[in-house]
Amino acid sequence: MKLIFLTTNDPLYLPDFFERVLSEEAGRVAAVYAAPPLYKNESAVAAALKYLRTFGLADTARLSARILRSKLQGRSIASVCRSRGIPYREVADVNAPSFLRELEQQGPDALVSVSCPQIFKERLIALPPRGILNIHGAILPQYRGVMPSFWMMANGEKQAGVSIYFVNRRIDAGDLCARKIFDIDPRETLDHFLRRSKAIAADLLLRVIRLMECGEVSRLPLNLAEGSYYSWPDAEAVRRFRALGRRLW
């Protein structure tokens, strides 16, 4: 079974994820493509200002320092792929006709989306015969949308989860094929939680890949009427997050 990953250029959390997955499944992976870590065609400056307005100067400075340290240490998805001999390339638009032709030429059986920030259109969804798997850091159908880890902490949840589902045209709404539920440590920062969640997601994806290879993966339609959807945090959500004693870093 040939796999292609669609992800984003994140130097903080995804290198460790890919290190774990590719340590066992590099032989199945034909390529890894990374889209810009931006939403709805926003610029890098606009994204930085949005983060600054939401979380403040101190946390924005900490984020910048973490990103700089990771880059200086050479930690990246690209370096992980290079060490495993897997092609890696950044792509501006995963729905662009030229990119779709490139995917078709490679003939993947399935695509795997890991934090890819772009909405997949119909032609991309229909391209791989075994579908597109997406990893979402919540107990779907709860906490669909953006930054589920933050929202779960801001809402005082005691449990979190990782869900893997087959992508359809609606956001975080396809057929569920695997889910792992785990406790949220009342003392951990969002940064620590995200690292732990990505490690759990990597192990869950490895299990799903093996089930797909054997033709034993299950598909359970999600009931969105029982779920919830969240967008980018507002000031009230950040205040609630901090009032519960939570920290980003």
Side-chain angles (χ1 to χ4, degrees):
M1 186 170 68
K2 182 188 290 188
L3 302 174
I4 287 178
F5 280 80
L6 303 178
T7 186
T8 191
N9 188 11
D10 163 35
L12 296 182
Y13 306 109
L14 293 184
D16 287 343
F17 172 91
F18 278 97
E19 188 70 66
R20 173 75 181 102
V21 172
L22 298 182
S23 69
E24 295 197 19
E25 295 294 350
R28 300 185 196 272
V29 180
V32 175
Y33 295 97
L38 304 170
Y39 291 91
K40 297 180 181 178
N41 297 318
E42 66 183 354
S43 67
V45 172
L49 289 174
K50 180 174 68 174
Y51 193 95
L52 176 62
R53 286 192 299 267
T54 304
F55 296 109
L57 181 59
D59 281 322
T60 302
R62 292 187 184 98
L63 173 62
S64 300
R66 292 289 182 93
I67 292 174
L68 178 60
R69 182 160 60 247
S70 292
K71 290 182 176 180
L72 291 175
Q73 292 172 345
R75 289 295 293 162
S76 67
I77 301 171
S79 66
V80 174
C81 290
R82 189 163 51 247
S83 70
R84 301 285 176 180
I86 295 171
Y88 169 91
R89 184 167 73 80
E90 296 185 5
V91 56
D93 181 1
V94 298
N95 295 291
S98 58
F99 179 65
L100 295 178
R101 288 193 295 270
E102 184 175 336
L103 289 181
E104 288 171 344
Q105 290 170 1
Q106 296 186 72
D109 296 296
L111 303 179
V112 183
S113 171
V114 187
S115 301
C116 186
Q118 298 183 3
I119 295 175
F120 297 167
K121 296 181 180 179
E122 188 170 349
R123 187 179 167 193
L124 175 59
I125 295 171
L127 190 150
R130 296 202 188 188
I132 302 178
L133 295 174
N134 187 60
I135 303 171
H136 188 72
I139 309 171
L140 288 175
Q142 298 294 328
Y143 292 97
R144 297 166 56 228
V146 178
M147 293 186 70
S149 300
F150 167 86
W151 283 108
M152 286 185 288
M153 286 185 160
N155 291 341
E157 299 285 2
K158 300 296 189 295
Q159 286 188 317
V162 171
S163 302
I164 300 180
Y165 65 91
F166 287 94
V167 171
N168 64 15
R169 295 190 65 182
R170 303 182 69 182
I171 297 174
D172 299 332
D175 290 348
L176 184 72
C177 62
R179 185 164 60 191
K180 175 73 173 180
I181 298 173
F182 54 94
D183 291 337
I184 300 175
D185 188 330
R187 300 162 297 180
E188 69 184 334
T189 63
L190 180 60
D191 174 68
H192 183 272
F193 175 85
L194 285 168
R195 294 181 187 280
R196 192 159 62 94
S197 179
K198 288 293 188 289
I200 292 169
D203 287 338
L204 188 63
L205 177 62
L206 289 170
R207 182 160 67 86
V208 169
I209 291 171
R210 294 177 191 123
L211 289 172
M212 286 184 70
E213 181 69 23
C214 299
E216 297 177 357
V217 69
S218 61
R219 299 181 68 134
L220 177 66
L222 292 167
N223 183 357
L224 301 188
E226 298 176 350
S228 56
Y229 184 92
Y230 289 85
S231 55
W232 184 262
D234 55 16
E236 173 56 33
V238 175
R239 284 193 293 269
R240 192 165 69 248
F241 176 87
R242 290 174 175 157
L244 292 171
R246 294 295 188 181
R247 295 180 295 111
L248 299 185
W249 308 99

